[in-house]
Amino acid sequence: MNPIEARAALDSIDAAQRDLALKATYCPPWRHAAFAAVLTILVLGVGFGPAIQLPSVVIAMAGVAWLVTDDRRRYGVFVNGYRKGATLPVTLVLLGALIVTMAAEIHAHISGLSVATKLGIAGIAFVVSLGASVAWSRIYRRELMRGAA
Amino acid sequence: MSVDAIDMLLHPPARLQIAALLAKVSEMEFAKLREITRVSDSVLSKHLAVLGDAGYVHLRKAAVGGRQRTWASLTRAGASALDAHVAALRALVAHLPAAAE
């Protein structure tokens, strides 16, 4: 193999990954909202004790399973959110935010704070999850479009 | 890094593209791979079989939407081989004059 052939091989990698970005990374707004809703259910359930928390975990897990199945059917691709790469910081920030909001819900439950407070915390979780989902998708797409080869 | 580091299993363009695509996802369905690499079913099957035999790609069958489909993913060995191969390609390209790039 000579350098020109090597350049062509690297270019073909970039082209394939750009094609992937164009054909399999569009995420409609409802998909971001659905993802955020699933995480919000998980967070909100924590604020209402075991009687609500357990069903909320089941509903959230079913939601995750549905999103994964729909992604596979729609795009023919599955990408793990915990993948290495430029998206990992977004995933870690989201995880941190979820832990903080869950801790806040636990505090609200133990302290007997109002339902409005619990809904407010869940609202924050929704906004953060929504933003993280949008950011994750954009960064992933940019990574593919940029090409690493 | 020398030309010796070129992995001949990843040398064919379609096979290199398959590995590079799988490196960016957790799993990709056969039809999506075919669509992006623009090869026929039989050619893609052969490339996947070679990569599978080498331990670079894992193949599994799963039903999605009631239909049986083949899903491919890059193994750890495959990811390492791809990284080494791309590094070797970059080393080769480094010998190109800037204008030729």
Side-chain angles (χ1 to χ4, degrees), chain A residues 24-72:
Chain A
T25 61
Y26 172 69
C27 195
W30 70 262
R31 170 62 175 77
H32 294 299
F35 172 77
V38 165
L39 295 186
T40 302
I41 289 169
L42 206 57
V43 170
L44 185 61
V46 175
F48 290 90
I52 300 289
Q53 189 183 349
L54 292 178
S56 73
V57 169
V58 172
I59 291 169
M61 291 302 108
V64 169
W66 175 72
L67 286 174
V68 170
T69 303
D70 187 67
D71 283 352
R72 287 179 181 274

Side-chain angles (χ1 to χ4, degrees), chain A residues 98-124:
Chain A
L98 288 177
I99 290 169
V100 168
T101 49
M102 280 182 172
E105 287 283 6
I106 291 170
H107 172 73
H109 178 62
I110 292 171
S111 306
L113 299 180
S114 67
V115 172
T117 303
K118 294 171 184 175
L119 289 174
I121 295 167
I124 292 170

Side-chain angles (χ1 to χ4, degrees), chain B residues 31-71:
Chain B
K32 182 60 72 177
L33 266 176
R34 185 191 55 208
E35 179 189 344
I36 297 177
T37 56
R38 297 182 181 88
V39 295
S40 66
D41 280 7
S42 60
V43 169
L44 180 56
S45 291
K46 283 176 189 166
H47 285 312
L48 285 175
V50 170
L51 292 170
D53 289 345
Y56 288 2
V57 165
H58 173 70
L59 297 171
R60 73 179 181 93
K61 300 239 183 230
V64 174
R67 294 182 63 185
Q68 193 78 357
R69 296 170 195 271
T70 300
W71 291 83

